[in-house]
Amino acid sequence: MRIFDPHVHMTSRTTDDYEAMADSGVTAIVEPAFWLGQPRTSVGSFVDYFASLVGWEPYRAAQFGIAHHCTIALNPKEANDTGLAREVLEVLPRWLAKDRVVAVGEVGYDSMTPAEDDAFSAQIALAADADLPMLVHTPHRDKLAGTRRTLDVLAEQDFPPERSIIDHNNELTVEVLADTGCWMAFSIYPDTKVDERRMVAILQEYGTERMLVNSAADWGRSDPLKVSKVVAAMQEAGFSDDDISTVVWDNPVAAYGQSGRLELDVPGQEADSTFEGSSIRRTSG
Amino acid sequence: MTDQTAPTDPAEVTAHLDARLDDDARAWFAESRDRIGDDPAAVRVLFPAVSRRVGRGPLAPGGDGDDPFVWHRDDAGRALLLAAVDPGARPGELRDCYTHGDARERRGVLRSLEVVEVDDEVTAELVDDALRTNDVRLVAAALGPAGVAVLDDDGFAQAVLKAVFVDLDLERIAGIPDRVTPELSRMMADFVHERVAAGRAVPASVWTVIDRHPPADRLAAIEAERDHEDPHRAAAAAAALDARP
């Protein structure tokens, strides 16, 4: 089964993970720009991170036959450092214009502060200017209220639901989203958020339309093979191959394809290929 | 001009590129130049989009896209967008396009130096940065006529040595052989000796540099390696010297 993981933070993962993902069927991914676990203190740290998302990381992924794309944004947690946030927002348009940048994201709410409102609103406008979809994550705390507020803000700025990908959903937020026309994404985690069994139950209740499943694997406890584990759980539950493929391939291709910047063909890999003169090899020569 | 695929003025670039564009790309490109003419800051989001809008292949029909000295369609597109920036705003925008650029964008900025007017100071800053990378695309693009024009003799010698280390064809570098000094000939001969002593091969183009001012003592030392007791060294010396025209 061909798999597209539409949310995975590969910067935090090893080449072993890339290899295992490729073995599990992953041939395409989206890596959203996000919080790195500790606050950044200068705009240069963001710029270097964005540069690696459009440069080094696609090179690493390609070594394993995986087409790498990314989303670029100021995340809500760091939006609260308002001086820094202003500087980051200023450089974002350049980075949103790059090849293989397929959405503005992750944006949304963390603590639902006024500073987060401002950053979210400013980035909705940037997405419209750059003609890109948005990847919006729902907050960990007060999730249901945060999801409703997210939808209100998108509607206030006339951002099209079909270009809105709302992530980190659960059994309660999916009820709110089901009739909105937004894409509904689910992060499958080992302990928190949704697991494979609950995901299958949600798909049985709501169907496969506009549904996305991702591993959201990062530097925390997480599993980059979760999408393939959902595939197995769906097979066991009796979903057809077509239905499974809708969720793990067709839907992410349709959602992010709206950017016009998916590049799903990975060029053939030569053993001596490098990225700007550097490689992931450890052998000399 | 070192390379027949390398244009030298904006009109020539425009003609080359125009012949390669379809109607959609041509319309996007014309509109983009107008927008930049009205507002130089527009280049910030148009510049990164050039590759997917005008294409990535070689600019000249039948050109070799893997040849690092060859101009690509997006190089031409980017050079022309920078040419459309108001000269007053150009140094700042050009420098920022480089700083925030990926390798293709940076190559486009370096190629633009051949066809747009900018201060030597800005050119030198970008060329120095490109020569610090190990990316053959950037090193080759920095070693066109505009790039080498801002290098003094020492800088030029270091650049040529860099080029041989990253396996570029030295004869394609602007200023070869006219700008080769006796010191550079000596340095290149020492490079050959070092490689031969390691039993490794050297490209034939080193001789264009060495033989501009042949350093007799260094050449004698390489010649002596032919008889070295280590067969790898002797074989490497023979291979290097036999390639000398």
Side-chain angles (χ1 to χ4, degrees):
Chain A
M1 178 71 64
R2 186 171 54 160
I3 293 174
F4 189 138
D5 188 341
H7 184 151
V8 58
H9 300 287
M10 294 312 296
T11 302
S12 309
R13 312 297 305 195
T14 65
T15 49
D16 281 1
D17 290 328
Y18 269 124
E19 196 165 14
M21 289 165 73
D23 287 347
S24 80
V26 174
T27 62
I29 55 178
V30 169
E31 173 159 10
F34 83 139
W35 151 254
L36 292 181
Q38 70 174 40
R40 282 165 279 207
T41 57
S42 74
V43 66
S45 303
F46 280 87
V47 166
D48 292 338
Y49 175 56
F50 297 154
S52 78
L53 291 181
V54 301
W56 175 246
E57 211 52 49
Y59 161 75
R60 288 213 311 153
Q63 305 312 299
F64 301 92
I66 295 175
H68 182 285
H69 312 85
C70 70
T71 73
I72 296 279
L74 170 65
N75 65 79
K77 201 186 275 273
E78 286 171 290
N80 291 303
D81 181 346
T82 51
L84 179 57
R86 210 167 22 245
E87 290 180 65
V88 176
L89 289 173
E90 208 166 286
V91 301
L92 281 181
R94 284 180 190 276
W95 293 92
L96 293 175
K98 304 282 187 190
D99 292 344
R100 293 189 310 277
V101 174
V102 294
V104 173
E106 303 177 52
V107 294
Y109 289 110
D110 181 54
S111 304
M112 294 197 265
T113 62
E116 291 173 24
D117 271 326
D118 291 347
F120 186 23
S121 175
Q123 292 183 96
I124 295 171
L126 291 180
D129 286 348
D131 201 18
L132 286 173
M134 297 197 83
L135 169 61
V136 188
H137 88 176
T138 55
H140 302 291
R141 303 176 298 279
D142 201 10
K143 189 180 266 296
L144 196 54
T147 303
R148 291 205 175 95
R149 181 142 153 201
T150 296
L151 291 173
D152 288 346
V153 173
L154 288 168
E156 277 164 24
Q157 290 186 235
D158 290 326
F159 198 78
E162 69 275 14
R163 293 172 79 82
S164 306
I165 299 147
I166 314 292
D167 207 343
H168 304 326
N169 285 294
N170 61 22
E171 290 84 351
L172 301 181
T173 58
V174 67
E175 267 184 61
V176 177
L177 286 169
D179 297 324
T180 60
C182 295
W183 295 90
M184 295 164 279
F186 295 83
S187 298
I188 314 298
Y189 272 123
D191 297 316
T192 57
K193 300 188 185 169
V194 175
D195 63 17
E196 297 92 306
R197 180 192 61 77
R198 288 165 58 197
M199 189 66 232
V200 165
I202 290 168
L203 289 166
Q204 284 168 331
E205 184 172 354
Y206 291 92
T208 57
E209 198 185 337
R210 287 181 290 109
M211 291 289 194
L212 304 174
V213 172
N214 61 68
S215 71
D218 58 17
W219 32 252
R221 290 199 59 208
S222 49
D223 177 358
L225 303 182
K226 276 296 186 193
V227 181
S228 70
K229 290 173 184 172
V230 170
V231 169
M234 287 179 78
Q235 281 166 338
E236 202 173 316
F239 281 91
S240 70
D241 282 355
D242 277 356
D243 281 343
I244 299 171
S245 187
T246 297
V247 175
V248 303
W249 185 265
D250 301 344
N251 285 352
V253 168
Y256 286 109
Q258 296 179 93
S259 67
R261 298 192 216 163
L262 284 182
E263 293 182 29
L264 296 171
D265 294 327
V266 182
Q269 294 316 305
E270 294 165 24
D272 62 349
S273 76
T274 62
F275 171 73
E276 297 179 10
S278 300
S279 85
I280 58 169
R281 294 188 306 274
R282 285 289 179 262
T283 50
S284 60
Chain B
M1 186 44 92
T2 316
D3 210 274
Q4 14 174 307
T5 55
T8 52
D9 68 68
E12 204 183 333
V13 182
T14 306
H16 274 297
L17 183 62
D18 196 61
R20 307 284 280 151
L21 297 182
D22 63 22
D23 289 345
D24 283 352
R26 195 174 288 118
W28 179 84
F29 197 67
E31 189 196 328
S32 297
R33 290 176 82 173
D34 288 348
R35 280 180 60 192
I36 291 167
D38 294 341
D39 172 18
V43 76
R44 298 171 194 176
V45 296
L46 295 169
F47 195 80
V50 169
S51 301
R52 61 179 180 274
R53 294 294 193 160
V54 308
R56 297 182 170 84
L59 181 58
D64 174 6
D66 293 328
D67 177 345
F69 287 96
V70 158
W71 277 59
H72 289 241
R73 287 158 67 165
D74 47 354
D75 294 335
R78 292 200 164 100
L80 292 174
L81 291 190
L82 290 171
V85 173
D86 178 79
R90 194 182 290 146
E93 295 296 343
L94 190 142
R95 191 190 267 125
D96 285 351
C97 282
Y98 186 90
T99 305
H100 289 276
D102 63 19
R104 292 192 83 91
E105 293 168 58
R106 289 181 176 204
R107 186 182 64 193
V109 174
L110 293 165
R111 293 254 148 90
S112 80
L113 300 173
E114 306 294 346
V115 294
V116 302
E117 290 285 323
V118 279
D119 299 344
D120 283 358
E121 193 190 334
V122 175
T123 302
E125 189 185 310
L126 303 185
V127 167
D128 285 348
D129 183 86
L131 292 175
R132 278 195 296 270
T133 72
N134 287 319
D135 190 328
V136 290
R137 295 167 295 180
L138 299 188
V139 176
L143 295 178
V148 302
V150 298
L151 297 172
D152 62 15
D153 285 348
D154 288 344
F156 183 73
Q158 289 300 327
V160 174
L161 285 176
K162 173 82 188 197
V164 76
F165 272 95
V166 296
D167 289 331
L168 285 175
D169 180 357
L170 304 182
E171 293 175 9
R172 308 280 292 284
I173 297 171
I176 296 284
D178 298 352
R179 285 197 57 189
V180 176
T181 58
E183 175 71 352
L184 175 51
S185 293
R186 193 275 306 159
M187 291 163 102
M188 193 59 73
D190 281 349
F191 164 79
V192 171
H193 192 183
E194 186 184 311
R195 280 285 168 100
V196 163
R200 299 176 63 188
V202 295
S205 61
V206 295
W207 294 109
T208 306
V209 176
I210 295 170
D211 284 337
R212 183 76 174 164
H213 304 282
D217 54 340
R218 261 61 179 197
L219 288 166
I222 299 168
E223 196 68 47
E225 292 280 341
R226 280 188 192 271
D227 302 321
H228 200 277
E229 60 187 17
D230 179 343
H232 298 291
R233 282 174 75 156
L241 289 162
D242 292 349
R244 190 179 181 190

